[in-house]
Amino acid sequence: MRIWKTLDGAAIAAFALAAALAPAQAQSYPNRAITLVIPFAPGGSTTIVGRGIADKMSELLGEKIVVDNRPGAGGTVGTKAVAKSEPDGYTLVLGYTGTLAIGPSLYKNVGYDPRKDFAPIGLIGNAPNSLVVHPSFPAKTIAELIAYAKANPGAVNFGSAGAGTVSHITGEYFAASAGIKLVHIPYKGTGPALTDLLGGHIPMAFAPIPASHPNVSAGKLRALAVTSTTRSSLMPDVPTIAESVLPGFDASLYYGLAAPAGTPRPIIDRLNKALRDALASDEVRKQLTQDGTEITPGTPEDYAAFIDKDEKKWSQLVKASGVEQE
């Protein structure tokens, strides 16, 4: 009994010491560069959003936030790496619908639990996907696209940011809802998919508005629809899929910041404040709004609740699509 009492006392002492050190850690945090893992290839919407946030938060925190693009398996490779990293506040991840809501249901062994393995910092915002086509594609509207696909079953390809990404599942969701057959062409990120679309190698793609908008504005691509239930302020003339032919269709994308589970709460609070201050700044608001992102700041608890809700929604869509990855 004395041995167990001694061990209990030691454990209590260690816990008390850790609790006492946490505020001190937060006061000195950060004292070196922070790594923000963006789990996709450069050039996509996640990089656009992540770099804008990282630059402003670097300024506010007084330490550099270094962006590290780590693509692979629909963003789950980089996300898993952060889940397993040291919970000291120096390795963060750009949370995304594809990695925290889709990946856990899509992959048999994703390697992390979106609810248990992360300490949410806060939401950044949301943006709908866009359905964009090469100018040579004959369909000018969603209705024409569906009619064309029905007349040419299995002959229409669509590109995505990779197997299991939001753009992939959105395409499967759209095809199932419209009763058509589309052939999925996966890429290693939105950037490479749009490059092939611009070159005419694929006829269409689902891509986040921040990434597709510049090419649509330049006339290099044609936007047939957006995937949210309301039109995008960046593309007010482009209809939603829901209003066009498929009522209730909704596939919006959400971004946030998260750290590994176990990161001290004072550090999470410091990062949340820096994130919210960054989102309130004129330069970040202007940049994200111009890229079609609706800013939705909140508390760590708000983001935790959202992750739970979003995962439940997308897991149902993944199951309905019949798509599963090893």
Side-chain angles (χ1 to χ4, degrees):
M1 289 295 295
R2 290 182 179 179
I3 294 175
W4 283 110
K5 286 182 179 180
T6 301
L7 290 175
D8 289 345
I12 292 172
F15 181 82
L17 179 60
L21 288 175
Q25 288 177 334
Q27 290 176 3
S28 62
Y29 174 86
N31 55 27
R32 56 186 171 87
I34 299 168
T35 297
L36 172 60
V37 173
I38 297 178
F40 296 94
S45 66
T46 50
T47 298
I48 293 171
V49 171
R51 284 194 178 278
I53 292 297
D55 288 346
K56 187 61 181 178
M57 287 183 66
S58 295
E59 177 186 324
L60 294 168
L61 292 169
E63 290 287 349
K64 180 70 175 177
I65 297 181
V66 179
V67 169
D68 180 8
N69 288 91
R70 296 191 202 176
T76 61
V77 171
T79 303
K80 177 182 177 180
V82 174
K84 306 304 179 184
S85 64
E86 189 70 23
D88 55 8
Y90 289 97
T91 304
L92 313 178
V93 68
L94 186 75
Y96 185 57
T97 300
T99 55
L100 299 184
I102 292 178
S105 296
L106 184 72
Y107 294 93
K108 291 182 179 179
N109 298 296
V110 72
Y112 58 85
D113 185 314
R115 297 174 178 84
K116 297 178 180 179
D117 292 334
F118 297 97
I121 294 168
L123 271 165
I124 293 172
N126 71 86
N129 255 318
S130 59
L131 196 171
V132 287
V133 300
H134 189 268
S136 64
F137 192 65
K140 301 295 192 299
T141 66
I142 288 293
E144 290 180 4
L145 167 61
I146 293 174
Y148 182 85
K150 287 183 176 180
N152 301 274
V156 180
N157 301 336
F158 78 94
S160 80
T165 61
V166 176
S167 52
H168 173 204
I169 300 303
T170 296
E172 301 289 353
Y173 174 28
F174 170 70
S177 300
I180 59 177
K181 171 66 176 177
L182 298 176
V183 179
H184 177 228
I185 308 296
Y187 289 85
K188 294 182 178 180
T190 297
L194 289 180
T195 296
D196 260 17
L197 179 59
L198 288 165
H201 302 295
I202 53 174
M204 61 178 279
F206 286 88
I209 286 181
S212 67
H213 177 254
N215 291 305
V216 172
S217 297
K220 296 178 180 179
L221 296 176
R222 184 167 65 247
L224 299 190
V226 295
T227 64
S228 53
T229 55
T230 58
R231 295 194 180 196
S232 167
S233 59
L234 201 59
M235 296 183 183
D237 296 329
V238 178
T240 67
I241 291 176
E243 74 181 80
S244 298
V245 290
L246 301 174
F249 188 96
D250 182 21
S252 296
L253 318 172
Y254 286 84
Y255 311 95
L257 282 187
T263 301
R265 181 59 193 239
I267 290 178
I268 294 296
D269 289 340
R270 179 82 192 277
L271 289 167
N272 177 264
K273 183 180 186 307
L275 173 61
R276 296 175 77 165
D277 288 347
L279 293 173
S281 68
D282 290 340
E283 57 265 51
V284 172
R285 293 186 68 85
K286 181 179 179 181
Q287 178 185 356
L288 296 187
T289 300
Q290 285 180 339
D291 285 331
T293 301
E294 179 185 349
I295 297 172
T296 56
T299 65
E301 289 73 21
D302 292 335
Y303 191 23
F306 181 81
I307 289 171
D308 179 62
K309 177 182 176 182
D310 207 35
E311 193 279 334
K312 289 177 181 177
K313 168 189 171 180
W314 282 95
S315 65
Q316 293 176 352
L317 294 177
V318 170
K319 291 175 184 177
S321 73
V323 177
E324 187 176 59
Q325 303 292 321
E326 292 296 333

